Amino acid sequence: MGERAAQPLRADAERSVRAILEAAERVLAEDPGASMEQIAAAAGVARTTIHRRFANRQALIEALATSAARRLAQAVDDGRPDTAPPLVAMHRITANVLQVKGAWAFALGLAEDPDSEAAALQQDINRRCIAVLERARADKLIDEAADLDWVRRVYYALIGESLRGNTDGADPDTLAARIIDTLLRGAGPRA
């Protein structure tokens, strides 16, 4: 997206791009108005290197959003949404997503251009989430009358609140268990 090269990058160039994107996430999370030069310094690369890889600041921002969306999509894939039992997939995906969202909060919070790769990846993630919820409903984990788009939105909200409100420093697996328990059983008394 924001990278000029259409061909695969050499290993050293790929490392530079990765370092730049990781630095951009850190620097821009602290100061959204940070310059390309500040990002280059944080990445440990020359200013010319960042300009060689990214035509301008907007290209860097787009590449950052795409990279974070790809990581999020990989986190979903790693949870085996199509093959693991639904409850296992939901837990794995949630723990994975919490890690990615925690590390890439700035990039994942950027407004997406509806025609961007990041937006397409997010739409695919939404579709896959609904598919896992359908599998969970088939396993009687979710009421058959539940509006799965609403359940997906509540699930996303629980993830967001868990990241913002993790004052006890719970690890992703503990948070994932809380999220899935709340999503599937609510806050009512247990039978």
Side-chain angles (χ1 to χ4, degrees), residues 77-96:
D77 287 344
D78 290 348
R80 297 182 29 227
D82 302 321
T83 58
L87 190 57
V88 172
M90 290 172 71
H91 179 86
R92 286 181 180 164
I93 290 167
T94 304
N96 295 346

Side-chain angles (χ1 to χ4, degrees), residues 1 62 65-66 112-121:
M1 280 254 129
E62 289 170 9
T66 300
E112 296 171 348
D113 171 357
D115 297 324
S116 69
E117 181 182 347
L121 286 164

